[in-house]
Short mmCIF file of all heavy atoms in Angstrom, two decimals:
data_model
loop_
_atom_site.label_atom_id
_atom_site.label_comp_id
_atom_site.label_asym_id
_atom_site.label_seq_id
_atom_site.Cartn_x
_atom_site.Cartn_y
_atom_site.Cartn_z
N LYS I 63 -15.76 -3.09 0.28
CA LYS I 63 -15.90 -3.77 1.47
C LYS I 63 -15.12 -3.25 2.63
O LYS I 63 -15.56 -3.03 3.72
CB LYS I 63 -15.62 -5.24 1.31
CG LYS I 63 -15.94 -6.23 2.42
CD LYS I 63 -15.77 -7.55 2.20
CE LYS I 63 -16.71 -8.12 1.11
NZ LYS I 63 -16.68 -9.61 0.90
N PRO I 64 -13.68 -3.13 2.46
CA PRO I 64 -12.93 -2.57 3.57
C PRO I 64 -13.23 -1.15 3.94
O PRO I 64 -13.13 -0.67 4.99
CB PRO I 64 -11.46 -2.60 3.08
CG PRO I 64 -11.51 -3.02 1.68
CD PRO I 64 -12.93 -3.39 1.36
N LEU I 65 -13.61 -0.27 2.97
CA LEU I 65 -13.99 1.18 3.25
C LEU I 65 -15.36 1.26 4.10
O LEU I 65 -15.35 1.88 5.12
CB LEU I 65 -14.16 1.94 2.00
CG LEU I 65 -12.93 2.04 1.10
CD1 LEU I 65 -13.34 2.69 -0.19
CD2 LEU I 65 -11.98 2.89 1.78
N VAL I 66 -16.30 0.44 3.75
CA VAL I 66 -17.64 0.44 4.49
C VAL I 66 -17.48 -0.15 5.83
O VAL I 66 -17.93 0.47 6.82
CB VAL I 66 -18.63 -0.31 3.65
CG1 VAL I 66 -19.90 -0.56 4.48
CG2 VAL I 66 -18.96 0.27 2.39
N ALA I 67 -16.57 -1.23 5.95
CA ALA I 67 -16.35 -1.83 7.34
C ALA I 67 -15.72 -0.75 8.32
O ALA I 67 -16.02 -0.81 9.37
CB ALA I 67 -15.41 -3.06 7.16
N ARG I 68 -14.89 0.15 7.82
CA ARG I 68 -14.28 1.12 8.58
C ARG I 68 -15.27 2.27 8.97
O ARG I 68 -15.09 2.90 10.02
CB ARG I 68 -13.12 1.76 7.95
CG ARG I 68 -11.87 0.73 7.85
CD ARG I 68 -10.68 1.40 7.29
NE ARG I 68 -9.69 0.45 7.16
CZ ARG I 68 -8.66 0.33 7.94
NH1 ARG I 68 -8.67 1.08 8.93
NH2 ARG I 68 -7.76 -0.51 7.72
N LEU I 69 -16.25 2.50 7.99
CA LEU I 69 -17.13 3.78 8.23
C LEU I 69 -18.43 3.45 8.91
O LEU I 69 -18.98 4.24 9.67
CB LEU I 69 -17.40 4.37 6.91
CG LEU I 69 -16.22 4.92 6.17
CD1 LEU I 69 -16.41 5.31 4.78
CD2 LEU I 69 -15.53 6.00 6.94
N VAL I 70 -18.99 2.16 8.73
CA VAL I 70 -20.33 1.84 9.15
C VAL I 70 -20.36 0.61 9.87
O VAL I 70 -19.93 -0.34 9.42
CB VAL I 70 -21.26 1.84 7.93
CG1 VAL I 70 -22.71 1.57 8.44
CG2 VAL I 70 -21.25 3.12 7.07
N ARG I 71 -20.97 0.54 11.02
CA ARG I 71 -21.09 -0.60 11.85
C ARG I 71 -22.35 -1.47 11.50
O ARG I 71 -23.39 -0.76 11.27
CB ARG I 71 -20.96 -0.29 13.43
CG ARG I 71 -19.65 0.13 13.87
CD ARG I 71 -19.71 0.42 15.29
NE ARG I 71 -18.61 1.11 15.82
CZ ARG I 71 -17.54 0.50 16.19
NH1 ARG I 71 -17.48 -0.80 16.33
NH2 ARG I 71 -16.47 1.15 16.64
#
Side-chain angles (χ1 to χ4, degrees):
K63 195 177 289 188
L65 295 173
V66 173
R68 290 180 187 261
L69 298 174
V70 183
R71 294 181 188 265

